[in-house]
Amino acid sequence: MYPSINLEKDKKLAEIFGIILGDGNLSKNGNTITIKLNIIKEPRYVNYVMALSREIFKKNPNIQNLPNNQAIQLRINSKELVRKLVLLGLQKGDKVKNQVGVPEWIKINRDFCKGCLKGLLDTDGSIFPVISEKTIKMNFKNNSKPLVNDFKYMCEILDIRVSKIIEGITDSFRDKKFKFYKVHIGAKDQVAKFLYLVKPMKWEYRWRNINIIFKQKGLSIEDAFKYKLEKELRYFPQKLIENLRINSKDFF
């Protein structure tokens, strides 16, 4: 008998599902959960995921350094935990071959969608400034089409407009090429809505650097969310900027 592990369906579990679907894996033999992260570029996020894993799984992840000196793997060895995650909708083995997607219990709940979107964006998404357009844009890219479809679907559940899915081919990796799928969020108010509702850690860690980039061009991060012919910010851009003012004394 394995020791009992209780996993409650909630927003935090949905987030760790997003993290595993993005940068994690359940081993084919059912023994191990791994999550691959960049310790050089995102050390704070590594600590965040370790703490979240301990909170949810009640286990301390082991840290394995990978050969490229930037990535690490968080590893949790537990057949019972893998079994529970599979029962909740994750799949063992190669995520690309399996063309994984988001479990239904997440997609039918708005709060769970927010948690899962947070995990997905923080692992396989990007938030970046486009100075020439005085804006900030986002994308999500993955080699599993169902997962990108589900990202788009969950955004739409939150009334966030997302582009059509774009397909392409990745650069060669070990003499193999893979098809990728990608969606964009580009409208100023839609980017602000995603950032305000989902609250990805990637935004928490990077908005200050993005603000510096705008300031170097004589702009501010507020300009990134303001429409050219409108004097006032729309609802979600205003809420996002207000949140930064309240929680970040160094914003202005």
Side-chain angles (χ1 to χ4, degrees), residues 188-189 192 221-227 230-242 245 252:
K188 293 171 181 282
D189 58 337
I221 205 166
E222 188 170 344
D223 293 319
F225 297 108
K226 185 178 291 184
Y227 283 87
E230 297 178 9
K231 293 182 179 180
E232 302 294 332
L233 290 171
R234 295 184 183 182
Y235 178 78
F236 280 106
Q238 182 178 359
K239 298 296 288 185
L240 182 68
I241 295 300
E242 285 177 355
R245 285 197 182 107
F252 292 103

mmCIF file with all atom_site columns, all heavy atoms in Angstrom, residues 188-189 192 221-227 230-242 245 252:
data_model
loop_
_atom_site.group_PDB
_atom_site.id
_atom_site.type_symbol
_atom_site.label_atom_id
_atom_site.label_alt_id
_atom_site.label_comp_id
_atom_site.label_asym_id
_atom_site.label_entity_id
_atom_site.label_seq_id
_atom_site.pdbx_PDB_ins_code
_atom_site.Cartn_x
_atom_site.Cartn_y
_atom_site.Cartn_z
_atom_site.occupancy
_atom_site.B_iso_or_equiv
_atom_site.pdbx_formal_charge
_atom_site.auth_seq_id
_atom_site.auth_comp_id
_atom_site.auth_asym_id
_atom_site.auth_atom_id
_atom_site.pdbx_PDB_model_num
ATOM 1   N N   . LYS A 1 188 ? -4.407  46.140 -26.331 1.00 0.00 ? 188 LYS A N   1
ATOM 2   C CA  . LYS A 1 188 ? -3.959  46.686 -25.050 1.00 0.00 ? 188 LYS A CA  1
ATOM 3   C C   . LYS A 1 188 ? -4.873  46.296 -23.893 1.00 0.00 ? 188 LYS A C   1
ATOM 4   O O   . LYS A 1 188 ? -4.404  45.890 -22.818 1.00 0.00 ? 188 LYS A O   1
ATOM 5   C CB  . LYS A 1 188 ? -3.869  48.212 -25.144 1.00 0.00 ? 188 LYS A CB  1
ATOM 6   C CG  . LYS A 1 188 ? -2.782  48.737 -26.077 1.00 0.00 ? 188 LYS A CG  1
ATOM 7   C CD  . LYS A 1 188 ? -2.916  50.243 -26.268 1.00 0.00 ? 188 LYS A CD  1
ATOM 8   C CE  . LYS A 1 188 ? -1.870  50.806 -27.213 1.00 0.00 ? 188 LYS A CE  1
ATOM 9   N NZ  . LYS A 1 188 ? -0.556  50.964 -26.569 1.00 0.00 ? 188 LYS A NZ  1
ATOM 10  N N   . ASP A 1 189 ? -6.187  46.435 -24.094 1.00 0.00 ? 189 ASP A N   1
ATOM 11  C CA  . ASP A 1 189 ? -7.104  46.139 -22.996 1.00 0.00 ? 189 ASP A CA  1
ATOM 12  C C   . ASP A 1 189 ? -7.178  44.643 -22.712 1.00 0.00 ? 189 ASP A C   1
ATOM 13  O O   . ASP A 1 189 ? -7.415  44.227 -21.566 1.00 0.00 ? 189 ASP A O   1
ATOM 14  C CB  . ASP A 1 189 ? -8.497  46.707 -23.276 1.00 0.00 ? 189 ASP A CB  1
ATOM 15  C CG  . ASP A 1 189 ? -9.103  46.181 -24.564 1.00 0.00 ? 189 ASP A CG  1
ATOM 16  O OD1 . ASP A 1 189 ? -8.352  45.750 -25.458 1.00 0.00 ? 189 ASP A OD1 1
ATOM 17  O OD2 . ASP A 1 189 ? -10.348 46.194 -24.676 1.00 0.00 ? 189 ASP A OD2 1
ATOM 18  N N   . ALA A 1 192 ? -4.041  43.713 -20.700 1.00 0.00 ? 192 ALA A N   1
ATOM 19  C CA  . ALA A 1 192 ? -4.249  44.183 -19.330 1.00 0.00 ? 192 ALA A CA  1
ATOM 20  C C   . ALA A 1 192 ? -5.232  43.287 -18.584 1.00 0.00 ? 192 ALA A C   1
ATOM 21  O O   . ALA A 1 192 ? -5.042  42.987 -17.396 1.00 0.00 ? 192 ALA A O   1
ATOM 22  C CB  . ALA A 1 192 ? -4.750  45.626 -19.343 1.00 0.00 ? 192 ALA A CB  1
ATOM 23  N N   . ILE A 1 221 ? 5.110   52.752 -18.595 1.00 0.00 ? 221 ILE A N   1
ATOM 24  C CA  . ILE A 1 221 ? 4.361   51.514 -18.782 1.00 0.00 ? 221 ILE A CA  1
ATOM 25  C C   . ILE A 1 221 ? 2.867   51.799 -18.930 1.00 0.00 ? 221 ILE A C   1
ATOM 26  O O   . ILE A 1 221 ? 2.127   51.035 -19.545 1.00 0.00 ? 221 ILE A O   1
ATOM 27  C CB  . ILE A 1 221 ? 4.643   50.542 -17.614 1.00 0.00 ? 221 ILE A CB  1
ATOM 28  C CG1 . ILE A 1 221 ? 4.395   49.099 -18.057 1.00 0.00 ? 221 ILE A CG1 1
ATOM 29  C CG2 . ILE A 1 221 ? 3.835   50.898 -16.378 1.00 0.00 ? 221 ILE A CG2 1
ATOM 30  C CD1 . ILE A 1 221 ? 4.953   48.072 -17.101 1.00 0.00 ? 221 ILE A CD1 1
ATOM 31  N N   . GLU A 1 222 ? 2.423   52.933 -18.387 1.00 0.00 ? 222 GLU A N   1
ATOM 32  C CA  . GLU A 1 222 ? 1.019   53.323 -18.550 1.00 0.00 ? 222 GLU A CA  1
ATOM 33  C C   . GLU A 1 222 ? 0.692   53.586 -20.015 1.00 0.00 ? 222 GLU A C   1
ATOM 34  O O   . GLU A 1 222 ? -0.409  53.289 -20.482 1.00 0.00 ? 222 GLU A O   1
ATOM 35  C CB  . GLU A 1 222 ? 0.716   54.562 -17.704 1.00 0.00 ? 222 GLU A CB  1
ATOM 36  C CG  . GLU A 1 222 ? -0.750  54.932 -17.663 1.00 0.00 ? 222 GLU A CG  1
ATOM 37  C CD  . GLU A 1 222 ? -1.047  56.004 -16.632 1.00 0.00 ? 222 GLU A CD  1
ATOM 38  O OE1 . GLU A 1 222 ? -0.191  56.233 -15.751 1.00 0.00 ? 222 GLU A OE1 1
ATOM 39  O OE2 . GLU A 1 222 ? -2.132  56.605 -16.706 1.00 0.00 ? 222 GLU A OE2 1
ATOM 40  N N   . ASP A 1 223 ? 1.661   54.138 -20.765 1.00 0.00 ? 223 ASP A N   1
ATOM 41  C CA  . ASP A 1 223 ? 1.452   54.385 -22.197 1.00 0.00 ? 223 ASP A CA  1
ATOM 42  C C   . ASP A 1 223 ? 1.182   53.087 -22.959 1.00 0.00 ? 223 ASP A C   1
ATOM 43  O O   . ASP A 1 223 ? 0.507   53.090 -23.990 1.00 0.00 ? 223 ASP A O   1
ATOM 44  C CB  . ASP A 1 223 ? 2.679   55.069 -22.809 1.00 0.00 ? 223 ASP A CB  1
ATOM 45  C CG  . ASP A 1 223 ? 2.883   56.474 -22.273 1.00 0.00 ? 223 ASP A CG  1
ATOM 46  O OD1 . ASP A 1 223 ? 1.885   57.198 -22.121 1.00 0.00 ? 223 ASP A OD1 1
ATOM 47  O OD2 . ASP A 1 223 ? 4.041   56.837 -21.983 1.00 0.00 ? 223 ASP A OD2 1
ATOM 48  N N   . ALA A 1 224 ? 1.727   51.972 -22.449 1.00 0.00 ? 224 ALA A N   1
ATOM 49  C CA  . ALA A 1 224 ? 1.560   50.689 -23.129 1.00 0.00 ? 224 ALA A CA  1
ATOM 50  C C   . ALA A 1 224 ? 0.112   50.217 -23.113 1.00 0.00 ? 224 ALA A C   1
ATOM 51  O O   . ALA A 1 224 ? -0.268  49.366 -23.917 1.00 0.00 ? 224 ALA A O   1
ATOM 52  C CB  . ALA A 1 224 ? 2.449   49.634 -22.477 1.00 0.00 ? 224 ALA A CB  1
ATOM 53  N N   . PHE A 1 225 ? -0.692  50.770 -22.205 1.00 0.00 ? 225 PHE A N   1
ATOM 54  C CA  . PHE A 1 225 ? -2.077  50.323 -22.076 1.00 0.00 ? 225 PHE A CA  1
ATOM 55  C C   . PHE A 1 225 ? -3.081  51.418 -22.447 1.00 0.00 ? 225 PHE A C   1
ATOM 56  O O   . PHE A 1 225 ? -4.276  51.251 -22.244 1.00 0.00 ? 225 PHE A O   1
ATOM 57  C CB  . PHE A 1 225 ? -2.332  49.844 -20.644 1.00 0.00 ? 225 PHE A CB  1
ATOM 58  C CG  . PHE A 1 225 ? -1.490  48.660 -20.256 1.00 0.00 ? 225 PHE A CG  1
ATOM 59  C CD1 . PHE A 1 225 ? -0.438  48.802 -19.370 1.00 0.00 ? 225 PHE A CD1 1
ATOM 60  C CD2 . PHE A 1 225 ? -1.731  47.413 -20.802 1.00 0.00 ? 225 PHE A CD2 1
ATOM 61  C CE1 . PHE A 1 225 ? 0.352   47.717 -19.015 1.00 0.00 ? 225 PHE A CE1 1
ATOM 62  C CE2 . PHE A 1 225 ? -0.952  46.319 -20.457 1.00 0.00 ? 225 PHE A CE2 1
ATOM 63  C CZ  . PHE A 1 225 ? 0.091   46.470 -19.570 1.00 0.00 ? 225 PHE A CZ  1
ATOM 64  N N   . LYS A 1 226 ? -2.589  52.531 -22.991 1.00 0.00 ? 226 LYS A N   1
ATOM 65  C CA  . LYS A 1 226 ? -3.477  53.643 -23.340 1.00 0.00 ? 226 LYS A CA  1
ATOM 66  C C   . LYS A 1 226 ? -3.669  53.687 -24.853 1.00 0.00 ? 226 LYS A C   1
ATOM 67  O O   . LYS A 1 226 ? -2.707  53.658 -25.617 1.00 0.00 ? 226 LYS A O   1
ATOM 68  C CB  . LYS A 1 226 ? -2.890  54.967 -22.843 1.00 0.00 ? 226 LYS A CB  1
ATOM 69  C CG  . LYS A 1 226 ? -3.805  56.164 -23.060 1.00 0.00 ? 226 LYS A CG  1
ATOM 70  C CD  . LYS A 1 226 ? -3.178  57.439 -22.510 1.00 0.00 ? 226 LYS A CD  1
ATOM 71  C CE  . LYS A 1 226 ? -3.110  57.409 -20.995 1.00 0.00 ? 226 LYS A CE  1
ATOM 72  N NZ  . LYS A 1 226 ? -2.583  58.681 -20.445 1.00 0.00 ? 226 LYS A NZ  1
ATOM 73  N N   . TYR A 1 227 ? -4.930  53.774 -25.276 1.00 0.00 ? 227 TYR A N   1
ATOM 74  C CA  . TYR A 1 227 ? -5.224  53.884 -26.704 1.00 0.00 ? 227 TYR A CA  1
ATOM 75  C C   . TYR A 1 227 ? -4.978  55.313 -27.179 1.00 0.00 ? 227 TYR A C   1
ATOM 76  O O   . TYR A 1 227 ? -5.223  56.277 -26.453 1.00 0.00 ? 227 TYR A O   1
ATOM 77  C CB  . TYR A 1 227 ? -6.666  53.454 -26.989 1.00 0.00 ? 227 TYR A CB  1
ATOM 78  C CG  . TYR A 1 227 ? -6.840  51.955 -26.974 1.00 0.00 ? 227 TYR A CG  1
ATOM 79  C CD1 . TYR A 1 227 ? -7.107  51.279 -25.787 1.00 0.00 ? 227 TYR A CD1 1
ATOM 80  C CD2 . TYR A 1 227 ? -6.706  51.209 -28.141 1.00 0.00 ? 227 TYR A CD2 1
ATOM 81  C CE1 . TYR A 1 227 ? -7.254  49.894 -25.770 1.00 0.00 ? 227 TYR A CE1 1
ATOM 82  C CE2 . TYR A 1 227 ? -6.855  49.829 -28.132 1.00 0.00 ? 227 TYR A CE2 1
ATOM 83  C CZ  . TYR A 1 227 ? -7.127  49.178 -26.945 1.00 0.00 ? 227 TYR A CZ  1
ATOM 84  O OH  . TYR A 1 227 ? -7.260  47.813 -26.930 1.00 0.00 ? 227 TYR A OH  1
ATOM 85  N N   . GLU A 1 230 ? -7.708  58.042 -26.962 1.00 0.00 ? 230 GLU A N   1
ATOM 86  C CA  . GLU A 1 230 ? -8.488  58.054 -25.728 1.00 0.00 ? 230 GLU A CA  1
ATOM 87  C C   . GLU A 1 230 ? -7.676  58.683 -24.601 1.00 0.00 ? 230 GLU A C   1
ATOM 88  O O   . GLU A 1 230 ? -6.525  58.322 -24.375 1.00 0.00 ? 230 GLU A O   1
ATOM 89  C CB  . GLU A 1 230 ? -8.904  56.626 -25.352 1.00 0.00 ? 230 GLU A CB  1
ATOM 90  C CG  . GLU A 1 230 ? -9.809  55.978 -26.397 1.00 0.00 ? 230 GLU A CG  1
ATOM 91  C CD  . GLU A 1 230 ? -10.185 54.546 -26.029 1.00 0.00 ? 230 GLU A CD  1
ATOM 92  O OE1 . GLU A 1 230 ? -9.883  54.120 -24.896 1.00 0.00 ? 230 GLU A OE1 1
ATOM 93  O OE2 . GLU A 1 230 ? -10.781 53.858 -26.881 1.00 0.00 ? 230 GLU A OE2 1
ATOM 94  N N   . LYS A 1 231 ? -8.280  59.633 -23.889 1.00 0.00 ? 231 LYS A N   1
ATOM 95  C CA  . LYS A 1 231 ? -7.583  60.332 -22.810 1.00 0.00 ? 231 LYS A CA  1
ATOM 96  C C   . LYS A 1 231 ? -7.441  59.468 -21.563 1.00 0.00 ? 231 LYS A C   1
ATOM 97  O O   . LYS A 1 231 ? -6.457  59.568 -20.836 1.00 0.00 ? 231 LYS A O   1
ATOM 98  C CB  . LYS A 1 231 ? -8.327  61.627 -22.465 1.00 0.00 ? 231 LYS A CB  1
ATOM 99  C CG  . LYS A 1 231 ? -8.305  62.673 -23.577 1.00 0.00 ? 231 LYS A CG  1
ATOM 100 C CD  . LYS A 1 231 ? -9.011  63.944 -23.137 1.00 0.00 ? 231 LYS A CD  1
ATOM 101 C CE  . LYS A 1 231 ? -8.978  64.994 -24.239 1.00 0.00 ? 231 LYS A CE  1
ATOM 102 N NZ  . LYS A 1 231 ? -9.667  66.247 -23.819 1.00 0.00 ? 231 LYS A NZ  1
ATOM 103 N N   . GLU A 1 232 ? -8.445  58.639 -21.296 1.00 0.00 ? 232 GLU A N   1
ATOM 104 C CA  . GLU A 1 232 ? -8.447  57.829 -20.084 1.00 0.00 ? 232 GLU A CA  1
ATOM 105 C C   . GLU A 1 232 ? -8.175  56.360 -20.404 1.00 0.00 ? 232 GLU A C   1
ATOM 106 O O   . GLU A 1 232 ? -8.472  55.881 -21.499 1.00 0.00 ? 232 GLU A O   1
ATOM 107 C CB  . GLU A 1 232 ? -9.804  57.949 -19.370 1.00 0.00 ? 232 GLU A CB  1
ATOM 108 C CG  . GLU A 1 232 ? -10.184 59.373 -18.985 1.00 0.00 ? 232 GLU A CG  1
ATOM 109 C CD  . GLU A 1 232 ? -9.259  59.944 -17.928 1.00 0.00 ? 232 GLU A CD  1
ATOM 110 O OE1 . GLU A 1 232 ? -8.712  59.142 -17.130 1.00 0.00 ? 232 GLU A OE1 1
ATOM 111 O OE2 . GLU A 1 232 ? -9.077  61.173 -17.898 1.00 0.00 ? 232 GLU A OE2 1
ATOM 112 N N   . LEU A 1 233 ? -7.609  55.663 -19.438 1.00 0.00 ? 233 LEU A N   1
ATOM 113 C CA  . LEU A 1 233 ? -7.413  54.226 -19.579 1.00 0.00 ? 233 LEU A CA  1
ATOM 114 C C   . LEU A 1 233 ? -8.755  53.503 -19.517 1.00 0.00 ? 233 LEU A C   1
ATOM 115 O O   . LEU A 1 233 ? -9.668  53.929 -18.804 1.00 0.00 ? 233 LEU A O   1
ATOM 116 C CB  . LEU A 1 233 ? -6.517  53.701 -18.452 1.00 0.00 ? 233 LEU A CB  1
ATOM 117 C CG  . LEU A 1 233 ? -5.041  54.112 -18.485 1.00 0.00 ? 233 LEU A CG  1
ATOM 118 C CD1 . LEU A 1 233 ? -4.369  53.698 -17.183 1.00 0.00 ? 233 LEU A CD1 1
ATOM 119 C CD2 . LEU A 1 233 ? -4.321  53.487 -19.667 1.00 0.00 ? 233 LEU A CD2 1
ATOM 120 N N   . ARG A 1 234 ? -8.867  52.425 -20.251 1.00 0.00 ? 234 ARG A N   1
ATOM 121 C CA  . ARG A 1 234 ? -10.060 51.590 -20.152 1.00 0.00 ? 234 ARG A CA  1
ATOM 122 C C   . ARG A 1 234 ? -10.051 50.830 -18.825 1.00 0.00 ? 234 ARG A C   1
ATOM 123 O O   . ARG A 1 234 ? -9.093  50.907 -18.064 1.00 0.00 ? 234 ARG A O   1
ATOM 124 C CB  . ARG A 1 234 ? -10.128 50.625 -21.341 1.00 0.00 ? 234 ARG A CB  1
ATOM 125 C CG  . ARG A 1 234 ? -10.304 51.348 -22.672 1.00 0.00 ? 234 ARG A CG  1
ATOM 126 C CD  . ARG A 1 234 ? -10.477 50.377 -23.822 1.00 0.00 ? 234 ARG A CD  1
ATOM 127 N NE  . ARG A 1 234 ? -10.568 51.074 -25.097 1.00 0.00 ? 234 ARG A NE  1
ATOM 128 C CZ  . ARG A 1 234 ? -10.752 50.470 -26.269 1.00 0.00 ? 234 ARG A CZ  1
ATOM 129 N NH1 . ARG A 1 234 ? -10.861 49.138 -26.323 1.00 0.00 ? 234 ARG A NH1 1
ATOM 130 N NH2 . ARG A 1 234 ? -10.824 51.176 -27.387 1.00 0.00 ? 234 ARG A NH2 1
ATOM 131 N N   . TYR A 1 235 ? -11.112 50.066 -18.559 1.00 0.00 ? 235 TYR A N   1
ATOM 132 C CA  . TYR A 1 235 ? -11.323 49.495 -17.222 1.00 0.00 ? 235 TYR A CA  1
ATOM 133 C C   . TYR A 1 235 ? -10.156 48.628 -16.747 1.00 0.00 ? 235 TYR A C   1
ATOM 134 O O   . TYR A 1 235 ? -9.566  48.892 -15.689 1.00 0.00 ? 235 TYR A O   1
ATOM 135 C CB  . TYR A 1 235 ? -12.620 48.682 -17.201 1.00 0.00 ? 235 TYR A CB  1
ATOM 136 C CG  . TYR A 1 235 ? -12.877 48.035 -15.859 1.00 0.00 ? 235 TYR A CG  1
ATOM 137 C CD1 . TYR A 1 235 ? -13.379 48.782 -14.791 1.00 0.00 ? 235 TYR A CD1 1
ATOM 138 C CD2 . TYR A 1 235 ? -12.588 46.688 -15.649 1.00 0.00 ? 235 TYR A CD2 1
ATOM 139 C CE1 . TYR A 1 235 ? -13.603 48.195 -13.549 1.00 0.00 ? 235 TYR A CE1 1
ATOM 140 C CE2 . TYR A 1 235 ? -12.808 46.096 -14.408 1.00 0.00 ? 235 TYR A CE2 1
ATOM 141 C CZ  . TYR A 1 235 ? -13.313 46.858 -13.368 1.00 0.00 ? 235 TYR A CZ  1
ATOM 142 O OH  . TYR A 1 235 ? -13.520 46.277 -12.139 1.00 0.00 ? 235 TYR A OH  1
ATOM 143 N N   . PHE A 1 236 ? -9.805  47.584 -17.500 1.00 0.00 ? 236 PHE A N   1
ATOM 144 C CA  . PHE A 1 236 ? -8.768  46.671 -17.019 1.00 0.00 ? 236 PHE A CA  1
ATOM 145 C C   . PHE A 1 236 ? -7.369  47.291 -17.037 1.00 0.00 ? 236 PHE A C   1
ATOM 146 O O   . PHE A 1 236 ? -6.586  47.059 -16.102 1.00 0.00 ? 236 PHE A O   1
ATOM 147 C CB  . PHE A 1 236 ? -8.816  45.348 -17.782 1.00 0.00 ? 236 PHE A CB  1
ATOM 148 C CG  . PHE A 1 236 ? -9.893  44.434 -17.282 1.00 0.00 ? 236 PHE A CG  1
ATOM 149 C CD1 . PHE A 1 236 ? -11.050 44.237 -18.012 1.00 0.00 ? 236 PHE A CD1 1
ATOM 150 C CD2 . PHE A 1 236 ? -9.769  43.789 -16.060 1.00 0.00 ? 236 PHE A CD2 1
ATOM 151 C CE1 . PHE A 1 236 ? -12.061 43.407 -17.545 1.00 0.00 ? 236 PHE A CE1 1
ATOM 152 C CE2 . PHE A 1 236 ? -10.770 42.955 -15.577 1.00 0.00 ? 236 PHE A CE2 1
ATOM 153 C CZ  . PHE A 1 236 ? -11.923 42.767 -16.321 1.00 0.00 ? 236 PHE A CZ  1
ATOM 154 N N   . PRO A 1 237 ? -7.015  48.089 -18.054 1.00 0.00 ? 237 PRO A N   1
ATOM 155 C CA  . PRO A 1 237 ? -5.743  48.812 -17.941 1.00 0.00 ? 237 PRO A CA  1
ATOM 156 C C   . PRO A 1 237 ? -5.679  49.698 -16.697 1.00 0.00 ? 237 PRO A C   1
ATOM 157 O O   . PRO A 1 237 ? -4.651  49.754 -16.014 1.00 0.00 ? 237 PRO A O   1
ATOM 158 C CB  . PRO A 1 237 ? -5.710  49.644 -19.225 1.00 0.00 ? 237 PRO A CB  1
ATOM 159 C CG  . PRO A 1 237 ? -6.461  48.822 -20.215 1.00 0.00 ? 237 PRO A CG  1
ATOM 160 C CD  . PRO A 1 237 ? -7.584  48.217 -19.413 1.00 0.00 ? 237 PRO A CD  1
ATOM 161 N N   . GLN A 1 238 ? -6.784  50.367 -16.390 1.00 0.00 ? 238 GLN A N   1
ATOM 162 C CA  . GLN A 1 238 ? -6.811  51.227 -15.202 1.00 0.00 ? 238 GLN A CA  1
ATOM 163 C C   . GLN A 1 238 ? -6.642  50.402 -13.928 1.00 0.00 ? 238 GLN A C   1
ATOM 164 O O   . GLN A 1 238 ? -5.878  50.776 -13.029 1.00 0.00 ? 238 GLN A O   1
ATOM 165 C CB  . GLN A 1 238 ? -8.126  52.002 -15.151 1.00 0.00 ? 238 GLN A CB  1
ATOM 166 C CG  . GLN A 1 238 ? -8.209  52.964 -13.976 1.00 0.00 ? 238 GLN A CG  1
ATOM 167 C CD  . GLN A 1 238 ? -9.510  53.756 -13.967 1.00 0.00 ? 238 GLN A CD  1
ATOM 168 O OE1 . GLN A 1 238 ? -10.353 53.611 -14.841 1.00 0.00 ? 238 GLN A OE1 1
ATOM 169 N NE2 . GLN A 1 238 ? -9.670  54.606 -12.970 1.00 0.00 ? 238 GLN A NE2 1
ATOM 170 N N   . LYS A 1 239 ? -7.342  49.264 -13.847 1.00 0.00 ? 239 LYS A N   1
ATOM 171 C CA  . LYS A 1 239 ? -7.233  48.411 -12.661 1.00 0.00 ? 239 LYS A CA  1
ATOM 172 C C   . LYS A 1 239 ? -5.815  47.858 -12.516 1.00 0.00 ? 239 LYS A C   1
ATOM 173 O O   . LYS A 1 239 ? -5.288  47.767 -11.404 1.00 0.00 ? 239 LYS A O   1
ATOM 174 C CB  . LYS A 1 239 ? -8.239  47.260 -12.748 1.00 0.00 ? 239 LYS A CB  1
ATOM 175 C CG  . LYS A 1 239 ? -9.698  47.687 -12.788 1.00 0.00 ? 239 LYS A CG  1
ATOM 176 C CD  . LYS A 1 239 ? -10.129 48.396 -11.520 1.00 0.00 ? 239 LYS A CD  1
ATOM 177 C CE  . LYS A 1 239 ? -10.253 47.471 -10.343 1.00 0.00 ? 239 LYS A CE  1
ATOM 178 N NZ  . LYS A 1 239 ? -10.783 48.151 -9.135  1.00 0.00 ? 239 LYS A NZ  1
ATOM 179 N N   . LEU A 1 240 ? -5.198  47.499 -13.637 1.00 0.00 ? 240 LEU A N   1
ATOM 180 C CA  . LEU A 1 240 ? -3.838  46.962 -13.595 1.00 0.00 ? 240 LEU A CA  1
ATOM 181 C C   . LEU A 1 240 ? -2.850  48.010 -13.100 1.00 0.00 ? 240 LEU A C   1
ATOM 182 O O   . LEU A 1 240 ? -2.012  47.731 -12.227 1.00 0.00 ? 240 LEU A O   1
ATOM 183 C CB  . LEU A 1 240 ? -3.436  46.467 -14.986 1.00 0.00 ? 240 LEU A CB  1
ATOM 184 C CG  . LEU A 1 240 ? -2.047  45.829 -15.095 1.00 0.00 ? 240 LEU A CG  1
ATOM 185 C CD1 . LEU A 1 240 ? -1.994  44.507 -14.346 1.00 0.00 ? 240 LEU A CD1 1
ATOM 186 C CD2 . LEU A 1 240 ? -1.669  45.619 -16.564 1.00 0.00 ? 240 LEU A CD2 1
ATOM 187 N N   . ILE A 1 241 ? -2.946  49.229 -13.635 1.00 0.00 ? 241 ILE A N   1
ATOM 188 C CA  . ILE A 1 241 ? -2.038  50.304 -13.227 1.00 0.00 ? 241 ILE A CA  1
ATOM 189 C C   . ILE A 1 241 ? -2.281  50.681 -11.769 1.00 0.00 ? 241 ILE A C   1
ATOM 190 O O   . ILE A 1 241 ? -1.331  50.910 -11.002 1.00 0.00 ? 241 ILE A O   1
ATOM 191 C CB  . ILE A 1 241 ? -2.202  51.530 -14.145 1.00 0.00 ? 241 ILE A CB  1
ATOM 192 C CG1 . ILE A 1 241 ? -1.773  51.187 -15.578 1.00 0.00 ? 241 ILE A CG1 1
ATOM 193 C CG2 . ILE A 1 241 ? -1.390  52.708 -13.620 1.00 0.00 ? 241 ILE A CG2 1
ATOM 194 C CD1 . ILE A 1 241 ? -0.330  50.749 -15.715 1.00 0.00 ? 241 ILE A CD1 1
ATOM 195 N N   . GLU A 1 242 ? -3.537  50.737 -11.349 1.00 0.00 ? 242 GLU A N   1
ATOM 196 C CA  . GLU A 1 242 ? -3.846  51.030 -9.943  1.00 0.00 ? 242 GLU A CA  1
ATOM 197 C C   . GLU A 1 242 ? -3.227  49.981 -9.028  1.00 0.00 ? 242 GLU A C   1
ATOM 198 O O   . GLU A 1 242 ? -2.702  50.306 -7.956  1.00 0.00 ? 242 GLU A O   1
ATOM 199 C CB  . GLU A 1 242 ? -5.365  51.071 -9.736  1.00 0.00 ? 242 GLU A CB  1
ATOM 200 C CG  . GLU A 1 242 ? -6.032  52.326 -10.286 1.00 0.00 ? 242 GLU A CG  1
ATOM 201 C CD  . GLU A 1 242 ? -7.541  52.278 -10.124 1.00 0.00 ? 242 GLU A CD  1
ATOM 202 O OE1 . GLU A 1 242 ? -8.061  51.228 -9.673  1.00 0.00 ? 242 GLU A OE1 1
ATOM 203 O OE2 . GLU A 1 242 ? -8.203  53.276 -10.453 1.00 0.00 ? 242 GLU A OE2 1
ATOM 204 N N   . ARG A 1 245 ? 0.417   50.662 -8.652  1.00 0.00 ? 245 ARG A N   1
ATOM 205 C CA  . ARG A 1 245 ? 0.635   51.823 -7.776  1.00 0.00 ? 245 ARG A CA  1
ATOM 206 C C   . ARG A 1 245 ? 0.505   51.434 -6.306  1.00 0.00 ? 245 ARG A C   1
ATOM 207 O O   . ARG A 1 245 ? 1.301   51.847 -5.464  1.00 0.00 ? 245 ARG A O   1
ATOM 208 C CB  . ARG A 1 245 ? -0.380  52.921 -8.101  1.00 0.00 ? 245 ARG A CB  1
ATOM 209 C CG  . ARG A 1 245 ? -0.107  53.693 -9.381  1.00 0.00 ? 245 ARG A CG  1
ATOM 210 C CD  . ARG A 1 245 ? -0.914  54.980 -9.382  1.00 0.00 ? 245 ARG A CD  1
ATOM 211 N NE  . ARG A 1 245 ? -0.712  55.723 -10.613 1.00 0.00 ? 245 ARG A NE  1
ATOM 212 C CZ  . ARG A 1 245 ? -1.625  55.819 -11.577 1.00 0.00 ? 245 ARG A CZ  1
ATOM 213 N NH1 . ARG A 1 245 ? -2.788  55.219 -11.444 1.00 0.00 ? 245 ARG A NH1 1
ATOM 214 N NH2 . ARG A 1 245 ? -1.370  56.525 -12.663 1.00 0.00 ? 245 ARG A NH2 1
ATOM 215 N N   . PHE A 1 252 ? 6.466   54.725 -9.754  1.00 0.00 ? 252 PHE A N   1
ATOM 216 C CA  . PHE A 1 252 ? 6.660   56.033 -10.386 1.00 0.00 ? 252 PHE A CA  1
ATOM 217 C C   . PHE A 1 252 ? 7.829   56.757 -9.749  1.00 0.00 ? 252 PHE A C   1
ATOM 218 O O   . PHE A 1 252 ? 8.117   56.583 -8.593  1.00 0.00 ? 252 PHE A O   1
ATOM 219 C CB  . PHE A 1 252 ? 5.392   56.879 -10.255 1.00 0.00 ? 252 PHE A CB  1
ATOM 220 C CG  . PHE A 1 252 ? 4.253   56.330 -11.066 1.00 0.00 ? 252 PHE A CG  1
ATOM 221 C CD1 . PHE A 1 252 ? 3.231   55.635 -10.450 1.00 0.00 ? 252 PHE A CD1 1
ATOM 222 C CD2 . PHE A 1 252 ? 4.227   56.473 -12.440 1.00 0.00 ? 252 PHE A CD2 1
ATOM 223 C CE1 . PHE A 1 252 ? 2.179   55.122 -11.195 1.00 0.00 ? 252 PHE A CE1 1
ATOM 224 C CE2 . PHE A 1 252 ? 3.182   55.962 -13.188 1.00 0.00 ? 252 PHE A CE2 1
ATOM 225 C CZ  . PHE A 1 252 ? 2.156   55.280 -12.559 1.00 0.00 ? 252 PHE A CZ  1
#
